Amino acid sequence: MSSIVAQKNKSEIETQKSIQLETDIIFDKLVEIRRDFHENPELAGKEKRTQEIIKKQLIDLGLKVETDIYGYGVVGILEGAKKGKRIAWRADMDALPNDFPDKSSFKSKTKGVQHGCGHDVHMTIALGIAEVLVKNKKSLHGTVYFIFQPEEETFIGAKKMVENEIFSKFKIDEIFALHVTALPTGQIMVKPNEMFAYQKEIGIQFKTALSNEEVKDLSAKIRKSLVRTINDSKPWEIQSILDPKIGLTNPNTIFKDYLISEENFRSYSKNDTFRVNAEIYETDATRLKNIIPTVEKVIADNNYGSKLLSVSFIKENPTVLNHPNLTKTSINILDKIFGKGFVVPDYGQVPYFNDDFAYFQQKIPGVYFLLGGSNFQKGTIAMNHAPNFEVDEECIRTGVRTFSSLLFERGK
């Protein structure tokens, strides 16, 4: 029995060495691919060139490719030589509509469109994982599905793929994804359950218009009734997620229990009604039901009740909800391969951001990781959707090596 265990351990060690070696061999090529994506970004629903690049890369690797799921989406299918589970990896494809300053030397060639969120990195990592696993196909268990998903920024693509029965077609057992963000390069963070706050938009309709002063006054009172923070902290200051004393890595983080809202509510007239809207972010799902009654009470208490038509959520996207057991198992696998503590625990929920990967998680167990892309010594800050968003490309190596290893183990 001991000889069998020893042989198994030797095989696992050899596989992990191979994954590391193959990642290093293709790293420079992956950087070139990422820069090509970065120079040629495409908005949600227009990812035609991006699709063609991905298809060619996957076909050249010998994968079976499907493109009839939704929009410009691509699914690459890698069948291992050994029996095992059906595991999926999701990478989002679309870029952002902006012209933020970009410090890179390979700027977007398309005016008003930019990969300012890191999806170019996500696609590159997925292609890298595919190539590394192809090189280890003889020892690979199960089937890996590489889902390149369009239209994430508009929160449409994942939902449409689910509606088009992607999981009925491929019978996938579990799914994984990542998002590069402002954490230090090489750092990987995850937690069970909610990764982000619940994002809702309140819509208030009045029969008649309110003056600017009335809107300002009422908005301030609604915010005062809704906003909840820990010890008068400021979880709306997103840069604090990196603070070791109050950020996500601290068990006493200010980001684990809050409700925050926009400071300036938006008001406008439409269809003979006057409307006031505001986005809010709540960490506790059980408190969501209290929001609308609270707003209604504030309106009534301030003598606007007779003007009120309705209060409702006009946007309520689902939030990323990591499967608890699969998350724990994934952490254990990575800690075993790379050393205990390799995966950094996340104690909070990030405000302002979200991901339609949540729609996949509603159907099958899934885990969504945060991958650090900042290099503070070089002044490289991967703060998504922000001016001068920049990624230390070394995170591509980390992503490929780490998650090739995870998918390899999960297929067994």
Side-chain angles (χ1 to χ4, degrees):
M1 180 65 73
S2 60
S3 63
I4 295 174
V5 172
Q7 188 175 5
K8 181 180 178 183
N9 289 339
K10 182 180 179 182
S11 176
E12 289 178 353
I13 291 170
E14 288 175 351
T15 298
Q16 294 308 322
K17 284 183 177 179
S18 174
I19 287 173
Q20 175 68 64
L21 177 62
E22 296 299 341
T23 300
D24 292 342
I25 289 171
I26 66 173
F27 176 69
D28 290 342
K29 179 178 73 173
L30 294 177
V31 169
E32 291 180 10
I33 291 171
R34 182 259 165 159
R35 294 184 179 188
D36 179 72
F37 283 141
H38 196 83
E39 287 183 330
N40 298 279
E42 294 175 304
L43 293 174
K46 298 181 179 181
E47 306 95 335
K48 184 176 181 179
R49 179 188 184 274
T50 305
Q51 183 194 56
E52 290 301 319
I53 297 296
I54 291 168
K55 279 171 56 180
K56 184 179 186 307
Q57 292 285 337
L58 295 175
I59 290 170
D60 287 349
L61 289 174
L63 272 65
K64 179 182 177 183
V65 173
E66 300 271 358
T67 57
D68 60 344
I69 305 302
Y70 170 72
Y72 288 109
V74 183
V75 178
I77 305 168
L78 171 58
E79 295 182 359
K82 300 182 179 182
K83 292 183 179 180
K85 291 182 289 191
R86 297 180 178 93
I87 309 296
W89 181 266
R90 192 289 306 253
D92 33 14
M93 302 166 65
D94 53 335
L96 289 167
N98 67 44
D99 263 327
F100 282 157
D102 183 352
K103 293 164 65 177
S104 73
S105 60
F106 43 92
K107 296 175 176 58
S108 170
K109 297 176 182 177
T110 307
K111 184 173 176 56
V113 184
Q114 181 182 96
H115 270 299
C117 197
H119 294 186
D120 52 343
V121 173
H122 302 172
M123 291 184 286
T124 303
I125 289 173
L127 291 171
I129 295 170
E131 183 161 354
V132 167
L133 292 183
V134 164
K135 300 287 179 61
N136 290 276
K137 185 176 179 179
K138 289 182 180 179
S139 55
L140 180 66
H141 292 256
T143 303
V144 182
Y145 298 85
F146 294 93
I147 301 173
F148 291 85
Q149 178 216 308
E151 301 177 50
E152 190 280 327
E153 294 293 352
T154 52
F155 233 80
I156 292 173
K159 185 178 182 181
K160 291 295 185 181
M161 282 186 155
V162 170
E163 289 174 353
N164 288 356
E165 301 186 343
I166 185 171
F167 295 127
S168 297
K169 182 170 185 176
F170 297 123
K171 309 293 184 186
I172 295 166
D173 296 310
E174 54 195 48
I175 188 168
F176 299 88
L178 64 75
H179 207 298
V180 66
T181 194
L183 300 168
T185 296
Q187 191 172 93
I188 291 167
M189 177 181 283
V190 75
K191 69 184 289 289
N193 301 312
E194 296 95 344
M195 288 291 286
F196 303 103
Y198 290 90
Q199 181 183 25
K200 309 288 181 183
E201 185 171 357
I202 303 171
I204 308 170
Q205 289 192 62
F206 294 97
K207 299 174 187 176
T208 57
L210 277 62
S211 68
N212 290 339
E213 284 303 311
E214 286 176 317
V215 170
K216 186 176 180 180
D217 178 65
L218 185 58
S219 299
K221 289 174 178 176
I222 290 173
R223 286 187 77 252
K224 185 176 180 180
S225 295
L226 288 177
V227 169
R228 181 186 77 258
T229 65
I230 298 173
N231 298 327
D232 297 320
S233 58
K234 300 176 180 179
W236 50 84
E237 295 182 347
I238 188 68
Q239 67 273 18
S240 295
I241 64 172
L242 303 174
D243 190 315
K245 294 181 180 178
I246 60 175
L248 297 176
T249 60
N250 194 307
N252 298 315
T253 179
I254 64 172
F255 293 98
K256 66 181 177 182
D257 183 10
Y258 61 82
L259 186 156
I260 60 178
S261 80
E262 291 180 288
E263 184 172 354
N264 299 312
F265 288 20
R266 287 157 282 121
S267 60
Y268 59 97
S269 295
K270 183 178 180 181
N271 299 333
D272 298 324
T273 64
F274 186 77
R275 306 186 182 201
V276 178
N277 297 348
E279 289 195 356
I280 63 167
Y281 303 87
E282 167 64 77
T283 56
D284 187 347
T286 65
R287 293 177 182 255
L288 294 171
K289 63 182 183 297
N290 302 327
I291 293 170
I292 289 176
T294 298
V295 174
E296 290 173 336
K297 187 175 187 304
V298 172
I299 292 170
D301 289 349
N302 286 275
N303 301 317
Y304 294 103
S306 61
K307 294 185 176 184
L308 181 66
L309 285 173
S310 66
V311 180
S312 63
F313 289 132
I314 57 176
K315 182 176 73 176
E316 39 184 343
N317 293 329
T319 200
V320 171
L321 201 63
N322 282 342
H323 189 276
N325 290 340
L326 185 56
T327 302
K328 182 179 179 181
T329 300
S330 300
I331 293 171
N332 290 340
I333 288 171
L334 293 176
D335 279 355
K336 180 181 177 182
I337 294 171
F338 299 104
K340 189 156 183 65
F342 175 77
V343 180
V344 177
D346 179 358
Y347 295 101
Q349 291 163 239
V350 180
Y352 307 125
F353 299 105
N354 203 349
D355 196 303
D356 70 351
F357 184 73
Y359 288 110
F360 294 140
Q361 292 176 308
Q362 290 177 352
K363 297 298 181 181
I364 60 173
V367 182
Y368 179 97
F369 297 85
L370 296 180
L371 172 68
S374 295
N375 187 321
F376 302 114
Q377 292 179 331
K378 294 180 179 178
T380 301
I381 310 297
M383 182 59 76
N384 315 89
H385 294 219
N388 292 314
F389 169 81
E390 191 178 16
V391 171
D392 181 350
E393 291 171 327
E394 190 62 32
C395 73
I396 296 171
R397 192 194 312 266
T398 301
V400 173
R401 179 192 64 171
T402 301
F403 296 107
S404 294
S405 298
L406 177 63
L407 297 187
F408 187 91
E409 291 300 316
R410 287 308 301 161
K412 294 178 181 178

